[in-house]
Amino acid sequence: MTDGILTAEQILTAAQDVLRRYGPAKATVVDVARALGVSHGSVYRHFPSKTALREAVTQRWLEESHAELGIVLASDAPAPVRLREWLGALFRAKRKKALGDPELFATYTVLVSESSKVIDRHIADLVGQIRQIVEAGVARGEFAAPDPAAAARAVFDASVRFHNPAHAADWSLPDIEDAFAALCDLILRGLEPR
């Protein structure tokens, strides 16, 4: 590959492969450049530091992992249905990543812990999506929530077992689906108009 046609997307793909191969502790920008057949300076033209590259890889992974959430968010289904589907989509995405590629998931768990700004933005976006669903439910009379932002944050926090990587070991438990359904039922009952 020549340096002139190198794209940020190619770099991110190579960085993901390098991270999978070497892990976050040993992967370097030089390794990424070597995988692409370019100088490390070419990588730095797109990403000014190793931290910037790792944050971009983390951001890309989070966006890819949660693509289904946007589809659920755009749905015109009743808010209780959308909220349950949204929480389910988030849980499925996290579980698929954790159980389907545990080595890469472990790598991203390390990257996520290093990328507090990326994670803060990501969590704010997720809570914002829940807020949109709650607000729509309130507007339709399907939910009662005097403060949709606080309700959204409470829903996010209450469902932490099903999306926070710290709980990944639970995601393969035999009763995890029942536990998830019970939590969704409880959340939805709490949002019902009285």
Side-chain angles (χ1 to χ4, degrees), residues 57-78:
V57 168
T58 303
Q59 182 66 42
R60 178 183 187 217
W61 180 72
L62 290 169
E63 289 170 0
E64 288 173 353
S65 298
H66 301 121
E68 187 181 344
L69 298 178
I71 295 167
V72 174
L73 190 63
S75 165
D76 195 34

Side-chain angles (χ1 to χ4, degrees), residues 111-125:
L111 293 182
V112 162
S113 70
E114 295 174 353
S115 303
S116 61
K117 289 178 186 174
V118 170
I119 297 310
D120 290 347
R121 283 192 310 268
H122 176 66
I123 289 172
D125 181 53

Side-chain angles (χ1 to χ4, degrees), residues 12 15 33 40 50 66 73 96 114 159 181 187 190:
L12 293 175
H40 65 280
K50 179 179 178 180
H66 301 121
L73 190 63
K96 180 179 177 182
E114 295 174 353
S159 60
I187 288 170

Side-chain angles (χ1 to χ4, degrees), residues 38-120:
V38 299
S39 70
H40 65 280
S42 297
V43 174
Y44 284 122
R45 277 196 282 282
H46 290 273
F47 300 97
S49 67
K50 179 179 178 180
T51 299
L53 176 58
R54 288 165 75 107
E55 286 180 349
V57 168
T58 303
Q59 182 66 42
R60 178 183 187 217
W61 180 72
L62 290 169
E63 289 170 0
E64 288 173 353
S65 298
H66 301 121
E68 187 181 344
L69 298 178
I71 295 167
V72 174
L73 190 63
S75 165
D76 195 34
V81 171
R82 280 193 335 175
L83 184 55
R84 184 183 294 271
E85 288 177 1
W86 190 94
L87 289 168
L90 180 61
F91 179 38
R92 283 190 305 276
K94 296 286 184 162
R95 185 167 56 176
K96 180 179 177 182
K97 291 286 187 183
L99 302 179
D101 195 344
E103 294 82 14
L104 192 58
F105 186 77
T107 294
Y108 279 107
T109 300
V110 170
L111 293 182
V112 162
S113 70
E114 295 174 353
S115 303
S116 61
K117 289 178 186 174
V118 170
I119 297 310
D120 290 347

